[in-house]
Amino acid sequence: MKTMLYFRRIVSCLLMIAVLASMTACSGEEKKADDSQEKDWLNGIAGTWNEVSLFPRILTVNSDGSYTLADPLGEVQEKGKVTISYEEHETGEKVPWYDFKKEDGEFWTSFAVDTENETPNDIYSGQDGAMHFIREGSEKITPDDYLGNSWSYGRCYITIDKVKKNYVVSIRWSSSASESSNWTYNCTFDKEKSCLVCKGGAIREEVSVNKKGKVKSKTIYKDGSGSFVIKGGTLRWIDDKENSGYDMYFVKEEVYEEAPAE
């Protein structure tokens, strides 16, 4: 009888060891699956991102999970590391997030992981989507996006009109109510880069108006060149001649139509 009882205990212990080993193996397989999924998510977010903002910063995420955040002119503001964290809901569902932490370990922000698309073109921060970044090259910019209302930055205004097959860009930068610098670029649309390009012949003039309303114009040069590109909802002016618009980000002005008379 004792022998039988002893044998049963041995069998029970062996069964328990087998169950524990099976659970450990499953847990290990699940962990490997999670690691593989997280690696895919991190690979999917790698690339260069432009912020949708009046002063769009540049976010660069590398395949090893490191990142840099630069100002609109490309000067790096911070560096850090991207990891995956999970927010557990009451239902037991675990929602993944990209966590961005600076080199000193300080938390910067988090972006929601799009589990349906491992290579997203848009990422939004936090629960409120306060920061929005668009993947470099994913914006579908057409020539019509440049046309319409004027673009403004402070006292500088840009108007773009289509003339036959070309695009005439007129810039007026006022230094006072009676004085301004004016530029005129005759551009073509570069389909590959989705930007307007002037390869030469751009004109810059200094214009002033005296007290009697007489306009005086002086030509500064006639051999300018440059380009105009939309990124993150703002227009950049790249002046090849004097680098005049290097730190300017133009916003398209809204035109409000008057309500019809009753």
Side-chain angles (χ1 to χ4, degrees):
M1 185 70 177
K2 290 183 178 179
T3 303
M4 181 63 68
L5 181 62
Y6 179 72
F7 178 74
R8 287 178 178 176
R9 287 179 178 176
I10 291 176
V11 171
S12 297
C13 290
L14 290 174
L15 288 172
M16 185 175 294
I17 291 171
V19 170
L20 290 173
S22 176
M23 291 175 63
T24 301
C26 290
S27 176
E29 290 175 2
E30 183 179 348
K31 181 60 178 176
K32 288 180 180 178
D34 288 345
D35 290 344
S36 176
Q37 181 64 81
E38 290 179 4
K39 185 177 181 180
D40 289 341
W41 286 334
L42 289 173
N43 286 334
I45 199 178
T48 301
W49 302 79
N50 298 307
E51 186 177 16
V52 179
S53 170
L54 293 180
F55 300 95
R57 293 173 293 180
I58 304 166
L59 175 64
T60 303
V61 182
N62 302 308
S63 57
D64 64 356
S66 61
Y67 79 89
T68 59
L69 182 68
D71 65 19
L73 299 178
E75 184 175 344
V76 175
Q77 295 178 324
E78 65 181 59
K79 297 180 180 180
K81 193 78 174 178
V82 187
T83 58
I84 302 295
S85 68
Y86 295 88
E87 178 186 8
E88 187 168 356
H89 292 180
E90 293 180 358
T91 59
E93 179 188 10
K94 292 183 178 181
V95 178
W97 290 83
Y98 298 109
D99 281 354
F100 284 71
K101 293 183 180 180
K102 303 177 184 179
E103 285 184 315
D104 60 4
E106 181 183 354
F107 178 78
W108 171 48
T109 191
S110 60
F111 295 92
V113 176
D114 186 350
T115 56
E116 301 297 323
N117 182 8
E118 292 183 352
T119 55
N121 290 325
D122 293 86
I123 52 175
Y124 295 84
S125 68
Q127 300 289 353
D128 56 1
M131 287 186 288
H132 176 199
F133 285 80
I134 298 177
R135 186 185 294 276
E136 176 78 36
S138 68
E139 290 182 89
K140 305 302 180 182
I141 303 299
T142 68
D144 289 342
D145 292 319
Y146 290 88
L147 304 174
N149 311 342
S150 64
W151 300 78
S152 66
Y153 178 90
R155 286 185 159 188
C156 192
Y157 294 86
I158 296 178
T159 303
I160 303 173
D161 298 299
K162 188 174 182 180
V163 179
K164 296 182 179 180
K165 293 184 179 181
N166 290 345
Y167 299 85
V168 177
V169 180
S170 302
I171 303 174
R172 186 174 187 271
W173 191 349
S174 300
S175 56
S176 68
S178 60
E179 297 180 335
S180 68
S181 292
N182 297 352
W183 289 260
T184 304
Y185 293 84
N186 191 24
C187 301
T188 56
F189 183 70
D190 186 322
K191 292 183 179 180
E192 183 179 346
K193 297 180 180 179
S194 298
C195 66
L196 300 180
V197 179
C198 172
K199 295 183 178 180
I203 301 170
R204 179 190 168 190
E205 298 176 304
E206 295 294 324
V207 179
S208 62
V209 182
N210 63 22
K211 294 180 180 179
K212 294 182 179 180
K214 185 177 180 180
V215 178
K216 183 180 179 180
S217 177
K218 179 183 178 182
T219 300
I220 305 302
Y221 59 74
K222 294 183 179 180
D223 60 348
S225 62
S227 57
F228 301 84
V229 59
I230 295 175
K231 285 188 179 181
T234 61
L235 177 68
R236 289 294 313 276
W237 167 28
I238 297 95
D239 174 25
D240 297 337
K241 183 75 172 180
E242 299 175 315
N243 204 24
S244 298
Y246 79 102
D247 59 350
M248 302 169 75
Y249 301 87
F250 294 81
V251 179
K252 206 169 194 178
E253 294 190 313
E254 297 290 342
V255 173
Y256 299 94
E257 296 183 1
E258 293 184 5
E262 297 181 358

